[in-house]
Amino acid sequence: MPHFYSVKEAVFPFNKFPGVDPILSPEMKSTGEVMGSGDTFAEAFFKAQLGAGEAIPGLTGERKAFLSVREPDKTGIIEVGRSLLALGFTLCATRGTAAALEAAGLAVEHVNKVYEGRPHIVDLLKNDEIAYIVNTTEGRQAINDSSVIRRTALSRKVPYATTLAGANAVCMALEYGRGDYGAAPSGSACRSKSMNKVPMTVAGERSLREELDHLKSEARPQVIAAIAEAREHGDLKENAEYHAAREQQGFIEGRIQEIESKLSVAQVIDVTKLPKTGKVIFGVTVSLLNLDTDAEVTYRIVGEDEANIKSGRISVTSPIARALIGKEEGDVVVVKTPGGDVEYEVGSVEHL
């Protein structure tokens, strides 16, 4: 029997389909899978979420969790609420869930459902006041009513649990991340959603702005012209050119929204203007020596959306980057991988 836990996580391309309801359904297909391994389930789950690029609540700062669950889950949500309070969250909930939490002696703020009037939960999400959501539903009407919450949470990159089991797993992962289940990962990559800032290099920002300019000045006018031309052919129901152009327009507009959202929360860091202390920080280029194979590799630590392992760019949230942050030239780091621990010696640290 293995003396470790492994958690497999599916990777879904929700960011490619803005406006889609991310609730799980039978027709969903993932674009890949990742696996996290650790000495405990909490550690394995924590690493799996990071590996899949899933947002998880921040470990520090002011954080508010929104809870709204179906009637059968009212008892189980109490333990989730206690765990979140112990982790430093404040709680807000819809009327029925709040009543269950208050009956158990937990402090909770009341918040309106969308159809109950403003300010409601979607307003709080858009104002970046919510760091985590637990929302379980049943029945077609309830699922439809909560779809706007899921879509808004997705666009704002707010972590979202749709089952009590998932909510409890996230709480365990957060407890591990802050050290309650043993040593937390070096340079934990969990950022507070209340801060709502994402590190990005100057090159990464430039690339996004160039793509955005191309989409707005060239791709958008071209597809508008194609739609107008296709309309002239008549009978839109059987007009393949028209439907293809409209589909392309949807992708273009979705990508424009995605880029604008990324840029609005970007914290652009120019590493060339930071003091050269010899320590590994975001944006530096670091050379490493694999002490097992004597192979040398060079990586640049970049933002999540800039990472490209083939080009030597690794995400600041990757296991190796988390192990390197804060280390200096000559230090030895141990990176946990599914195949076992790998030791690297830090060589040069350059601000390029």
Side-chain angles (χ1 to χ4, degrees):
M1 180 178 294
H3 299 289
F4 60 88
Y5 292 77
S6 293
V7 173
K8 183 182 287 187
E9 179 64 271
V11 180
F12 292 101
F14 290 132
N15 61 329
K16 302 297 183 185
F17 303 99
V20 72
D21 187 347
I23 193 169
L24 291 178
S25 56
E27 66 272 16
M28 272 195 175
K29 292 187 172 83
S30 70
T31 56
E33 295 175 331
V34 296
M35 182 177 289
S37 297
D39 295 331
T40 64
F41 167 79
E43 179 183 2
F45 184 82
F46 183 91
K47 291 178 177 178
Q49 299 309 297
L50 291 180
E54 294 291 333
I56 54 179
L59 296 170
T60 60
E62 296 182 5
R63 295 158 298 154
K64 180 182 292 186
F66 168 70
L67 312 179
S68 180
V69 298
R70 58 184 187 159
E71 193 61 36
D73 292 335
K74 294 287 173 64
T75 301
I77 196 62
I78 294 171
E79 187 58 37
V80 173
R82 287 198 180 101
S83 296
L84 291 170
L85 288 172
L87 286 162
F89 285 81
T90 57
L91 305 180
C92 67
T94 49
R95 187 174 293 107
T97 303
L101 294 170
E102 288 174 331
L106 304 185
V108 59
E109 172 188 343
H110 291 224
V111 63
N112 287 335
K113 295 181 180 179
V114 174
Y115 64 81
E116 291 177 336
R118 310 184 85 158
H120 48 58
I121 177 55
V122 173
D123 294 323
L124 297 184
L125 281 167
K126 291 182 176 179
N127 291 334
D128 297 321
E129 296 180 38
I130 302 297
Y132 183 47
I133 295 174
V134 180
N135 181 212
T136 68
T137 58
E138 63 180 353
R140 179 174 300 177
Q141 187 59 48
I143 291 174
N144 289 338
D145 290 344
S146 59
S147 64
V148 65
I149 302 175
R150 290 188 292 274
R151 292 196 301 270
T152 306
L154 180 64
S155 67
R156 307 300 297 186
K157 296 186 177 180
V158 177
Y160 196 120
T162 57
T163 65
L164 288 185
N168 280 308
V170 168
C171 289
M172 293 172 66
L174 289 175
E175 289 167 357
Y176 163 77
R178 73 173 189 175
D180 289 2
Y181 275 81
S186 300
S188 176
C190 289
R191 61 179 180 272
S192 171
K193 292 298 166 182
S194 61
M195 293 175 63
N196 202 35
K197 287 295 180 182
V198 181
M200 183 181 295
T201 66
V202 173
E205 182 200 29
R206 184 188 309 116
S207 177
L208 285 180
R209 291 198 181 280
E210 289 175 353
E211 182 183 355
L212 183 62
D213 180 65
H214 167 74
L215 290 171
K216 287 185 172 182
S217 63
E218 296 183 36
R220 177 187 273 170
Q222 288 173 0
V223 77
I224 290 174
I227 291 173
E229 181 180 349
R231 281 182 180 275
E232 296 177 357
H233 298 164
D235 191 10
L236 298 184
K237 290 183 179 180
E238 303 296 331
N239 192 327
E241 291 85 358
Y242 172 78
H243 291 292
R246 285 301 302 268
E247 183 177 355
Q248 182 64 19
Q249 184 184 42
F251 280 111
I252 290 172
E253 295 302 324
R255 181 59 179 163
I256 288 174
Q257 291 180 21
E258 181 184 10
I259 293 175
E260 289 178 337
S261 176
K262 291 177 187 292
L263 291 174
S264 70
V265 298
Q267 180 183 2
V268 181
I269 299 174
D270 186 350
V271 71
T272 63
K273 296 181 179 180
L274 299 178
K276 298 179 181 180
T277 63
K279 289 188 176 182
V280 179
I281 60 174
F282 178 86
V284 302
T285 300
V286 55
S287 62
L288 303 171
L289 175 65
N290 187 315
L291 297 181
D292 296 324
T293 65
D294 288 332
E296 293 187 7
V297 292
T298 300
Y299 295 122
R300 187 180 185 193
I301 301 176
V302 298
E304 295 178 16
D305 297 307
E306 306 171 70
N308 185 328
I309 192 65
K310 292 182 179 179
S311 300
R313 300 192 302 270
I314 59 173
S315 168
V316 68
T317 64
S318 65
I320 189 168
R322 297 201 314 273
L324 288 169
I325 294 294
K327 297 297 188 292
E328 301 179 358
E329 296 177 4
D331 285 349
V332 174
V333 299
V334 178
V335 180
K336 291 184 178 296
T337 71
D341 293 349
V342 179
E343 286 189 326
Y344 291 98
E345 181 180 332
V346 179
S348 62
V349 178
E350 300 178 280
H351 292 228
L352 302 178

